[in-house]
Amino acid sequence: MLEIKNLHARIAEDGTEIIRGLDLTVKAGEVAAIMGPNGSGKSTLSYILSGREDYEVTEGDILYNGESILELDASERAAKGIFLAFQYPVEIPGVATRQFLKVAMNEQRKYRGEDELTTPEFMRRVKEAAAELKIAPEMLRRPLNVGFSGGEKKRAEILQMALLQPKLCVLDETDSGLDIDALKIVADGVNALRSPDRAVVVITHYQRLLDYIVPDTVHVLYKGQVVKSGDKTLAHELEAKGYADIIEAAA
Amino acid sequence: MPAVQETIDQVRQIDVDQYKYGFETKIEMDKAPKGLSEDIIRLISEKKNEPEWMLEWRLEAYQRWLTMDEPSWARVKYPKIDFNEIHYYAAPKGTTGPKSLDEVDPELLKVYEKLGIPLKEQEILAGVEKTKIAVDAVFDSVSVVTTFKEELKKAGVIFMSISEAMREHPDLVRKYLGTVVPQSDNFYATLNSAVFTDGSFVYVPKGVRCPMELSTYFRINEKNTGQFERTLIIADEGAYVSYLEGCTAPQRDENQLHAAVVELIALDDAEIKYSTVQNWYPGDKHGKGGIYNFVTKRGDCRGKNSKISWTQVETGSAITWKYPSCILRGDCSRGEFYSIAVSNGHQQVDSGTKMIHLGKNTSSRIISKGIAAGVSDNTYRGQVSAHRKAENARNFTQCDSLLIGDKCGAHTVPYIEAKNSTAQFEHEATTSKISEDQLFYCLQRGIPEEAAIALIVNGFVKEVIQELPMEFAVEAQKLIGISLEGSVG
């Protein structure tokens, strides 16, 4: 589903290279965890996948379902099924969460040449998905992310993911700022979306989240490269020993 | 807000030309020669069949105007206006005044149809339109038709063109005209007093709640003309009226002048709600053409417990110079000003309000949302003052500015003056940019850039949009979306 080949990328503004020859393949149905120390390029990778313009790809390619997506802008990539759950979801004052959801769902449908959802159909879907994530209807009336607690923000991200039904889900540090109960709800939401035709990339600093979203593969990112790959036991190893050994081996 | 989707659709459909009301209609016109003189004023007065005192009032204003200078304190720049290059009167041939719908030139009716203004009472009554709105349609210098007059008459409400009112209700007009905005008020108001051609007159008698929304729709069509309309609205004791004004003009290379005066009078326990959706032609993307909108609007809360509320959505005009104000004369009276001013391209906006607290326990509220894009300049200028006797005067002001891109400017110029120690004035101001983070977040959810900006901007102005009558809120949202089309990229 996702194939990253020898990717090099830098910050557009000052030319700082962040991704330096990254290779990664994630198959449909797979849950891949990306781990690594601070500053290894984890969040940058999520932005580059989703098409943020602050970064420039200088070499290599990103294939999604066999096609390069480098020429597509962020909204086109989203409409084709790439979803990023943000580490820090952004506040949109004055725009009710429900209204935002409706606009997003219908814009994606429009891009794909589908009819807009009728209001009753939209309401039915939102109600169902919100209930699964224990989101109160009152929260849907509030402006998106404005005054939401850390847990509410992350649940709102997962709600959007559930409604937009993406094919490639990228979760950027979704566990940050969550207490254990919220973490479980979020993880349940993600697990409910696991399916043979969907891939999930979980970016995380800690093993903790991976106890709830169990990955098929684990990749260690360091200085903009994947320096080691393995199965879920690699995550436990990292938790116990830290990154030092792997970094040393890579250097 | 279901309108957001419509905003997006609308924005999509529009190509390079963003202004969809820019068409010109070929109608045979009856025009006064260019230039301003006593003779021209006599001609206007004669065309309108006015009483003698009206002519004298006009001439007095003209003499005063000759001694006045154009104001230069606003943050706007434009070449000097040659007041002798303007036609001060232009009317479709054969229209000396409003007629019944059947008599109106079908060409004119087509214009309003094209603009989406409901003039056909039968259709409205048959339920084609959901809400009943009475419309006074002003084309260049004259009112061509006023709808629902009969039905309003049954409720005792007078709604007609001001020219007609001068003939049919001279005592009312004479009693109130110029009592809020005097002849000598300012350069443009004085000019207006001398040459005003038409506008609407509303009188709601004691204790009557006007049974429908009233609305005047102004259209400038003719070249090189100025539109100088005058509107006078009186809500007698305990009355209520909601009034909406809309405006458009053809797309032209030359600038055209629109210098209106609006006077509102609310007596004891009366309430007037005045909403404007201003969409004059703003000029092209190089800043050529467009309307100069130099308008004096003022409401007088003359009676106790009276209330006047201004809501404005300003998207058009090359230059906007406009400060709808409230004089809070009656004890416990209340003034409100809700404004959205959008500027794009080369537009210049200098707008705001004045809240003059004279009576005891008066209160006012100002919510201003300025949105600047392109290379435009957007200034909020507001004055809040409490006079010596205005015990317990209260004001809350909130001015928020939103910048789109990095070549535009937003400025806030508040003047606050309290001569009474019991006055409580609060002022809050913010300036923000649509952040890259917000935009990227929306894009990542599959919302294309134009739609994302429309969504964020609609969120920003929501507080003010809520103040508009329902039907117009949708219209206003669309308009804001269109006005900002092409503001990024």
Side-chain angles (χ1 to χ4, degrees), chain A residues 47 50 52 74-75 78 82-84 86 90-91 93-95 99-100 104 107-108 110 116 144-145 157 160, chain B residues 1 4-5 8-9 12 435-438 440-448 451 455-456 458-460 462:
Chain A
Y47 286 144
S50 50
R52 184 151 190 161
S75 69
I82 298 177
F83 182 92
L84 170 64
F86 285 65
V90 181
E91 295 184 359
V95 179
Q99 178 198 352
F100 183 86
E107 284 294 339
Q108 293 205 7
K110 212 187 280 177
E116 282 187 13
L144 183 63
N145 293 325
E157 292 292 289
Q160 294 180 55
Chain B
M1 285 192 291
V4 169
Q5 194 52 48
I8 293 160
D9 295 342
R12 279 254 170 82
S435 72
E436 294 292 324
D437 287 344
Q438 282 177 324
F440 175 64
Y441 189 86
C442 293
L443 288 171
Q444 210 299 309
R445 296 305 185 244
I447 306 170
L455 186 70
I456 294 167
N458 273 322
F460 176 73
K462 193 177 178 188

Side-chain angles (χ1 to χ4, degrees), chain B residues 158 169-177 201 203 232 234 236:
Chain B
I158 303 171
H169 304 279
D171 297 345
L172 275 177
V173 176
R174 203 168 179 180
K175 184 173 176 190
Y176 292 105
L177 187 75
F201 176 82
Y203 174 78
L232 178 58
I234 303 131
D236 212 324

Side-chain angles (χ1 to χ4, degrees), chain B residues 238-312:
Chain B
Y240 169 85
V241 61
S242 168
Y243 177 93
L244 184 112
E245 167 206 298
C247 12
T248 59
Q251 214 157 329
R252 287 224 180 78
D253 289 347
E254 315 88 55
N255 297 103
Q256 277 181 289
L257 180 61
H258 175 255
V261 171
V262 174
E263 297 179 275
L264 312 182
I265 296 143
L267 301 182
D268 289 359
D269 305 303
E271 181 177 347
I272 301 174
K273 193 173 161 64
Y274 191 106
S275 315
T276 307
V277 176
Q278 187 264 104
N279 187 22
W280 294 117
Y281 177 54
D284 70 8
K285 59 177 180 238
H286 306 294
K288 200 169 183 196
I291 302 286
Y292 291 160
N293 194 32
F294 300 147
V295 171
T296 306
K297 290 184 167 177
R298 197 173 301 152
D300 188 356
C301 285
R302 208 164 277 183
K304 61 174 171 40
N305 292 319
S306 55
K307 180 177 169 187
I308 289 179
S309 171
W310 298 98
T311 305
Q312 61 171 22

